[in-house]
Amino acid sequence: MSRIGVFVCHCGINISSTVDVERVARTVGEDAEVAFATDYKYMCSDPGQQLIREAIAAHDLDGVVVAACSPSMHEKTFRRTVESAGLNPYCCEIANIREQCSWVHQKQPEEATEKAIEIVRTIVAKTRRNEELLPSRLPITRRALVIGGGIAGLEAALGIANSGYPVVLVEREDHLGGKMARLAGTYLNFEAAPGLLQQRVEQVLAHPRIQVLLNAQVTRVEGYVGNFGVQVTSLKEEGTEEQHVDVGALVVATGWDPYPLERLPEYGGGAIMDVVDGLTFEAMLQPGAGLRRPSDGRTPREVVFVQCAGSRDPERGVSYCSKVCCMTVAKQAMLFKQRVPDGQAYVFYIDIRSGGKGYDEFVQRAMEDYDVLYLRGKVSKIFQRGDRVVVWGADTLAGKPVEIEADLVVLATAMLPAAQAVTLAQTLHIGTDRYGFYEEAHPKLRPVESLTAGVFLVGAGQGPKDIPESVFQAGGAVAKVLQLFAQSEMVQEPTVAYVVEELCSACGACVAACPYSAREIHPLRRIATVNAALCQTCGACVVACPNKASRIHNWEPLQVLAMTDVLARR
């Protein structure tokens, strides 16, 4: 390619407030490789895209470089633009002069401008050597697999099935419902939980397009988006049974587990019978269960709730907020008062986090209508004294230490990812954070997608969240699955790895390095092969190959060397 057009974006003032964009366009436009260069306030806008189309036609451009924001933001936008003008979309590249230049050098405008010029020149050098590539097209299996039968998994399964596609729902327990099935009620509307959940369970079990596998786990996953092969192992009376399922998308809804009481010895966790966690207290609050404390079966008259037990405690527990505890404690305290009208509930809290429609008003109801006594301060110690449980804490608003002799203590423990989450993540080739929650592709732009295409995340397995948030996140994942299934075929990006057969010695180094299982050694030809549908263009194989036989389309060694030559000429 010899006629490159460069289009420098102001990005409002995101770039132009630091980088002299007119100078960048003027300087780069003087280079022999550049046939045309200009700048515009918003290159991604409709007028900006039209400017690119007109310049391609007027100047007979065979390559385009857009100097703007990160490629992850608008690379696809600009590639569609040049394609509509008759160019191969892979002759368009993005020079990132926002995140990698203007934003990090806001106090150095002169240096930032010089750097922007060099960034653009390196991308011009790369674009001149780009191949004209064509995407491959793959069939799609229009069946989904949902892992987890809690409220998020149920909603996802129903949403997909009601849209006309078959669903396989895998649940590791012997029943559906997840943690919600153990709740005595929900906040805002106490009586909704049992009926709402039972309705969803019955709809799933009766749905003609949903196959439910109980006592089952996903043990192996092969393939790629649109064409996954999943092995499900079920526990039967006669032993285990393995089943192979072909699906096009997976929805992961494995839920959460409570923080173990044994890890809270300062609160008597695991040692004092009348110190329980929230789920245990939910069972005690169930209608007809009879509210009785574990030690002697007596009805508790004084109950102390301790919020943030294990949460927001980086030294002893986890550093994050578990998000639902403030509302759950208010609900449980109110339910306790309904069951024991002459009882007294105390709540020790650090601060109240009740963000949501009607949430803060709900907490206020607990204080005003149910006389729940809220004490701002942390609990230092919980211990047994006779048949009572003594709580030592502080009331920081009054500036005094507090001692309460209670009949029962309820710890609002942290929400942890399900025990099998990390193992399942490895099976699915999706990431987790340092606590074991599934990692989304982007917290704002792709909140229900994992970095493995075709694997979607819903519910508390991705992070602490309550029932409403889990339900609408399930709806978002359903929309993504339906978007995938609506295609007649799947378009696969061609910018993937390939092998120069003459240089390959079949050493297998690239096979071991590939984190996506996209590599294998051909049994007859004795060369490494690439499954383009699985390749995520991470470049690990390129680094691992001792013969430089592993390469990536449009990231060739000669292109990288040309880019470094630009910098060497400084």
Side-chain angles (χ1 to χ4, degrees):
M1 298 175 191
S2 57
R3 299 189 62 78
I4 306 296
V6 175
F7 302 86
V8 186
C9 181
H10 295 231
C11 195
I13 61 171
N14 279 290
I15 296 173
S16 60
S17 62
T18 302
V19 173
D20 186 344
V21 292
E22 292 91 350
R23 178 182 159 194
V24 172
R26 185 172 62 251
T27 303
V28 174
E30 295 172 355
D31 294 347
E33 302 91 344
V34 177
F36 175 77
T38 189
D39 62 275
Y40 191 72
K41 193 170 184 66
Y42 290 106
M43 202 63 73
C44 62
S45 66
D46 288 341
Q49 293 180 56
Q50 185 60 29
L51 173 64
I52 295 174
R53 294 188 193 96
E54 292 172 354
I56 291 172
H59 300 276
D60 194 25
L61 303 179
D62 57 10
V64 167
V65 172
V66 181
C69 55
S70 166
S72 64
M73 292 291 291
H74 285 300
E75 183 179 69
K76 290 184 178 179
T77 301
F78 292 120
R79 284 185 170 173
R80 284 195 298 266
T81 300
V82 302
E83 186 176 27
S84 68
L87 277 188
N88 184 284
Y90 299 97
C91 296
C92 172
E93 295 286 351
I94 308 298
N96 185 349
I97 62 170
R98 189 180 73 173
E99 287 86 347
Q100 294 180 352
C101 189
S102 68
W103 280 1
V104 291
H105 302 296
Q106 294 181 10
K107 297 182 180 180
Q108 302 163 295
E110 178 61 28
E111 291 84 349
T113 301
E114 291 292 336
K115 180 178 177 179
I117 292 170
E118 291 186 347
I119 290 173
V120 174
R121 281 173 167 165
T122 61
I123 300 301
V124 168
K126 175 186 183 299
T127 305
R128 290 184 62 211
R129 294 160 177 82
N130 271 10
E131 300 176 76
E132 292 191 1
L133 302 174
L134 294 175
S136 56
R137 300 185 180 277
L138 305 167
I140 296 175
T141 302
R142 291 179 176 82
R143 179 192 293 117
L145 184 135
V146 178
I147 307 173
I151 185 62
L154 295 173
E155 286 291 326
L158 282 171
I160 298 167
N162 287 338
S163 300
Y165 300 105
V167 177
V168 178
L169 176 59
V170 177
E171 168 56 49
R172 66 195 303 263
E173 302 291 342
D174 61 0
H175 63 278
L176 298 176
K179 296 295 188 296
M180 186 175 171
R182 299 169 61 179
L183 301 183
T186 55
Y187 44 77
L188 300 186
N189 46 349
F190 287 140
E191 310 304 327
L196 172 68
L197 183 64
Q198 188 58 35
Q199 181 187 41
R200 292 293 188 272
V201 170
E202 290 172 358
Q203 289 174 345
V204 166
L205 292 174
H207 205 293
R209 296 191 189 93
I210 300 178
Q211 177 187 4
V212 178
L213 301 176
L214 299 177
N215 293 313
Q217 296 187 58
V218 171
T219 50
R220 189 169 71 240
V221 175
E222 298 173 339
Y224 46 88
V225 55
N227 294 276
F228 291 107
V230 182
Q231 179 179 291
V232 179
T233 302
S234 302
L235 184 62
K236 305 287 186 180
E237 289 184 5
E238 59 275 13
T240 59
E241 177 183 280
E242 293 186 351
Q243 182 176 347
H244 182 86
V245 183
D246 291 319
V247 298
L250 296 101
V251 178
V252 187
T254 53
W256 62 281
D257 282 336
Y259 192 86
L261 286 179
E262 294 75 18
R263 289 164 62 178
L264 296 166
E266 68 275 21
Y267 291 162
I272 302 175
M273 291 185 66
D274 294 325
V275 174
V276 300
D277 64 13
L279 282 178
T280 302
F281 193 59
E282 290 284 347
M284 297 165 64
L285 289 170
Q286 291 283 355
L291 182 53
R292 299 285 186 268
R293 69 180 197 164
S295 63
D296 55 15
R298 288 195 296 111
T299 299
R301 300 294 172 184
E302 290 189 279
V303 177
V304 172
F305 295 87
V306 181
Q307 295 196 170
C308 301
S311 292
R312 302 173 64 188
D313 188 352
E315 293 182 1
R316 290 178 170 270
V318 296
S319 61
Y320 56 83
C321 169
S322 291
K323 203 170 186 177
V324 304
C325 309
C326 292
M327 294 296 294
T328 299
V329 164
K331 177 205 73 173
Q332 290 177 341
M334 293 160 76
L335 286 175
F336 163 71
K337 288 285 287 182
Q338 288 182 1
R339 306 288 193 276
V340 187
D342 59 343
Q344 177 62 55
Y346 306 86
V347 177
F348 282 92
Y349 71 99
I350 300 174
D351 48 47
I352 303 296
R353 297 184 173 184
S354 51
K357 184 178 179 181
Y359 283 21
D360 195 54
E361 294 88 339
F362 185 80
V363 175
Q364 291 300 317
R365 276 182 59 201
M367 298 179 188
E368 296 169 6
D369 297 347
Y370 290 82
D371 296 323
V372 178
L373 180 58
Y374 275 74
L375 301 167
R376 189 176 187 275
K378 296 195 71 172
V379 170
S380 59
K381 186 177 180 181
I382 297 174
F383 59 94
Q384 191 96 40
R385 180 188 291 164
D387 64 351
R388 306 274 274 175
V389 182
V390 180
V391 179
W392 282 357
D395 183 346
T396 58
L397 296 180
K400 296 179 179 180
V402 177
E403 177 181 305
I404 300 174
E405 286 195 357
D407 299 310
L408 185 72
V409 173
V410 181
L411 303 182
T413 53
M415 296 177 74
L416 301 181
Q420 80 280 14
V422 173
T423 301
L424 180 62
Q426 293 169 349
T427 301
L428 300 176
H429 304 293
I430 61 177
T432 59
D433 64 17
R434 63 190 177 114
Y435 296 108
F437 290 111
Y438 304 122
E439 199 88 87
E440 65 277 5
H442 192 287
K444 292 183 174 64
L445 303 178
R446 299 171 64 191
V448 299
E449 300 173 63
S450 72
L451 285 173
T452 298
V455 180
F456 304 97
L457 313 173
V458 302
Q462 184 251 342
K465 54 181 60 71
D466 63 5
I467 294 169
E469 190 176 354
S470 296
V471 168
F472 71 66
Q473 190 181 32
V478 168
K480 290 291 182 181
V481 173
L482 298 183
Q483 184 182 48
L484 173 64
F485 288 177
Q487 304 174 62
S488 58
E489 55 187 0
M490 192 176 65
V491 178
Q492 171 65 40
E493 285 289 314
T495 50
V496 294
Y498 73 99
V499 176
V500 180
E501 296 183 7
E502 294 79 8
L503 299 179
C504 181
S505 63
C507 68
C510 61
V511 176
C514 180
Y516 300 101
S517 302
R519 292 272 181 156
E520 63 179 18
I521 301 299
H522 195 284
L524 299 178
R525 301 176 63 200
R526 300 304 300 166
I527 60 169
T529 59
V530 180
N531 186 333
L534 288 176
C535 179
Q536 300 294 311
T537 323
C538 69
C541 57
V542 177
V543 176
C545 181
N547 294 347
K548 306 306 175 192
S550 289
R551 300 184 182 181
I552 296 174
H553 289 294
N554 281 352
W555 274 108
E556 300 283 349
L558 287 179
Q559 290 180 289
V560 177
L561 290 172
M563 296 170 74
T564 57
D565 284 345
V566 170
L567 300 177
R569 292 198 297 265
R570 292 179 62 181

